[in-house]
Amino acid sequence: MFRLIAITSPDFWPGEAQRIVQLLAGDIQLVHLRKPGSDLESCAGLLASLPEWCQRRIVVHDHLELRDRFPLHGLHLNGRHPEPPVGYSGHLSCSCHTLEEVAVRKASMDYVFLSPIFDSISKKGYSAAFTAAQLDDAAARGIIDYKVVALGGVTLQRIPQLQRWHFGGAAMLGSVW
């Protein structure tokens, strides 16, 4: 199954909880709550405003302790939180920015993000890091597979190309908000 994942914008905004519900009621399987620099209670407030069925489809990037307060889908590791909490055995994903990193990290993760695949929509000046030839080669060698989710400039129109490169999913930020 090809995963469709939405990543929240870094800032909170009015109507965000309702939009998350709409996305999860549609084609989006998971929402990654990514609010770098936010405080714990603001994130908890957003989660508390969601119905439980939505909370179960949220993966948090920060304030990993929220897993103790809400029935979250899982945790996402990144530069701010490179290791899971001690004793954690639930769903894990992480961010990767090289094919070498993907080859190493995907074995211990439920899935990994690889970015940027295309020029970013939401981050100005954040350009694609891979050529089509590099992605063709990575797909042929099995580096890109069902555990690798494309991020960066992803739109619904680009999904057929991502599937040809054997990506297991697409994560979208700029195109869904």
Side-chain angles (χ1 to χ4, degrees):
M1 177 178 85
F2 193 83
R3 293 177 184 93
L4 291 177
I5 299 171
I7 302 174
T8 64
S9 65
D11 301 313
F12 294 94
W13 51 276
E16 186 171 18
Q18 291 82 4
R19 180 66 177 142
I20 290 171
V21 171
Q22 288 174 342
L23 290 170
L24 291 172
D27 293 332
I28 299 295
Q29 283 91 34
L30 295 171
V31 170
H32 277 239
L33 180 60
R34 182 184 173 278
K35 303 283 187 187
S38 67
D39 64 87
L40 174 68
E41 289 311 313
S42 294
C43 289
L46 177 58
L47 289 169
S49 69
L50 297 171
E52 186 176 318
W53 70 267
C54 288
Q55 294 171 1
R56 292 184 182 284
R57 293 171 58 192
I58 301 288
V59 176
V60 294
H61 286 223
D62 294 291
H63 307 299
L64 305 184
E65 63 271 25
L66 289 167
R67 75 189 184 288
D68 299 326
R69 293 171 61 180
F70 299 94
L72 302 174
H73 184 78
L75 307 178
H76 185 84
L77 305 180
N78 52 44
R80 295 178 305 282
H81 304 284
E83 297 296 327
V86 174
Y88 181 76
S89 61
H91 168 94
L92 280 176
S93 58
C94 73
S95 298
C96 298
H97 301 286
T98 68
L99 293 166
E100 294 77 19
E101 191 179 7
V102 166
V104 170
R105 302 279 325 253
K106 73 179 181 177
S108 62
M109 299 289 150
D110 290 284
Y111 57 81
V112 299
F113 288 164
L114 177 62
S115 72
I117 301 302
F118 304 107
D119 293 349
S120 176
I121 296 167
S122 60
K123 295 180 181 177
K124 299 294 181 219
Y126 196 54
S127 301
F130 310 95
T131 65
Q134 288 172 313
L135 295 171
D136 287 340
D137 180 64
R141 294 190 298 138
I143 295 170
I144 298 174
D145 62 15
Y146 72 98
K147 290 185 81 172
V148 184
V149 175
L151 173 62
V154 174
T155 62
L156 291 176
Q157 294 76 19
R158 290 181 163 154
I159 288 175
Q161 178 60 54
L162 296 174
Q163 290 173 318
R164 282 191 291 278
W165 281 321
H166 302 166
F167 280 98
M172 297 171 278
L173 196 163
S175 66
V176 297
W177 301 105

